[in-house]
Amino acid sequence: MLDLQAADSKLDHLAHRRSTLPEAAELESLAAEHARLRDAEVVASTTVSDLEREQKRADTDVEQVRTRKARDQKRLDDGQVASPKELENLQSEIASLERRQSVLEDTELEVMERLEQAQREAESTASERESVGRKAQEVQAARDAAWAEIDQEAASVRDERAAIAAEMPDELLSLYEKIRSERDGVGAAALHQKRCEGCRLQLDAAELNHIRGLAPEVVVRHEECRRILVRTAESGV
Ligand SMILES: [Zn+2]
């Protein structure tokens, strides 16, 4: 009876260990971190492509002004413009284009800096996500190995338990199961030095006297906790 209880307690303990493995909790938090980084990566790469478009636009703007200025300059250099009024207009347009080009080049530079910053962020997010992914794989492997070990041990304890249960009368077995389900997984306990090992209470003299008078094959139950009390050489009765 005590062997059966020991096997059941062992199985309960293994099931508890299986469900509270630190690796499983760590894996959960890594998975959450991985999902967060994946979202951040999407945001970062969207920012990068937005800025790439903005940079192309800034490049085109600068190029247009530069071309127009070169054309005006060529007209000026070729001496094609004779009228002083027209010459003045042309020079003023070139000056204005130069100012415009300088403003556009500042914008172009600023967009480029923002793009480089965004690219660095996207790269670091991606590499962080990859490293979290690798760590998650390691932890998952460790969790699976721990599970496999626990499952293997549980299978062997279940075999032992089945062998023990097969030797027991059905009635006693179902009484034990019933008490076990109602009393924190402990259906049977040793009577050890006048104490119930199930509830840890000392038995009083009257109860001990009563137990002393019972034949060894009689199933004894502790009055206090109703568990099956198993008499041993160290029971003190
Ligand atoms: Zn008890």
Side-chain angles (χ1 to χ4, degrees):
M1 178 52 90
L2 288 178
D3 290 344
L4 183 70
Q5 178 63 65
D8 278 334
S9 296
K10 178 94 190 163
L11 285 171
D12 288 348
H13 172 71
L14 288 171
H16 180 256
R17 226 176 77 199
R18 195 185 201 284
S19 65
T20 55
L21 271 186
E23 287 90 343
E26 194 186 352
L27 187 59
E28 245 176 68
S29 84
L30 284 170
E33 177 68 357
H34 194 262
R36 187 189 69 74
L37 287 166
R38 209 174 37 215
D39 289 349
E41 212 181 334
V42 171
V43 172
S45 79
T46 306
T47 305
V48 167
S49 43
D50 287 351
L51 285 168
E52 277 169 349
R53 258 196 307 279
E54 212 175 309
Q55 194 195 28
K56 276 201 191 90
R57 209 156 45 224
D59 290 346
T60 311
D61 290 348
V62 169
E63 197 46 44
Q64 274 172 352
V65 172
R66 205 176 275 153
T67 308
R68 192 159 154 204
K69 202 185 74 183
R71 195 191 56 201
D72 287 354
Q73 191 66 49
K74 187 168 188 305
R75 281 181 67 203
L76 199 65
D77 295 345
D78 288 352
Q80 288 169 2
V81 184
S83 119
K85 177 75 187 154
E86 208 181 326
L87 198 63
E88 197 186 318
N89 283 345
L90 194 58
Q91 276 164 342
S92 134
E93 186 177 292
I94 289 171
S96 143
L97 286 170
E98 258 162 12
R99 283 193 301 273
R100 175 93 184 116
Q101 182 178 342
S102 157
V103 169
L104 288 173
E105 277 171 352
D106 285 350
T107 305
E108 191 184 31
L109 197 66
E110 185 235 340
V111 172
M112 198 177 77
E113 277 165 6
R114 278 164 60 208
L115 175 59
E116 280 170 1
Q117 171 71 20
Q119 279 165 338
R120 277 196 296 273
E121 269 173 32
E123 274 165 28
S124 88
T125 306
S127 94
E128 205 184 334
R129 200 234 335 121
E130 278 164 21
S131 117
V132 168
R134 276 192 300 274
K135 177 80 187 147
Q137 277 181 343
E138 285 169 25
V139 173
Q140 187 172 353
R143 183 206 60 183
D144 290 349
W147 271 357
E149 200 181 309
I150 290 170
D151 290 348
Q152 199 182 355
E153 196 178 345
S156 108
V157 176
R158 263 195 299 275
D159 287 349
E160 282 170 38
R161 189 216 185 266
I164 300 164
E167 300 290 310
M168 286 175 61
D170 288 348
E171 214 172 304
L172 182 58
L173 198 58
S174 40
L175 174 66
Y176 159 80
E177 302 274 20
K178 184 174 179 293
I179 302 169
R180 197 173 111 74
S181 70
E182 292 164 353
R183 292 276 181 274
D184 295 328
V186 181
L191 174 59
H192 186 74
Q193 290 171 358
K194 306 179 182 178
R195 201 169 75 151
C196 166
E197 292 286 282
C199 66
R200 311 255 160 203
L201 284 178
Q202 203 82 23
L203 274 66
D204 64 25
E207 199 173 0
L208 287 165
N209 264 333
H210 168 73
I211 292 169
R212 247 173 235 132
L214 297 172
E217 67 274 14
V218 174
V219 174
V220 183
R221 292 179 66 180
H222 186 198
E223 275 176 22
E224 199 70 43
C225 73
R226 305 305 296 145
R227 291 189 176 93
I228 296 168
L229 270 181
V230 180
R231 284 165 284 177
T232 71
E234 280 91 47
S235 285
V237 289

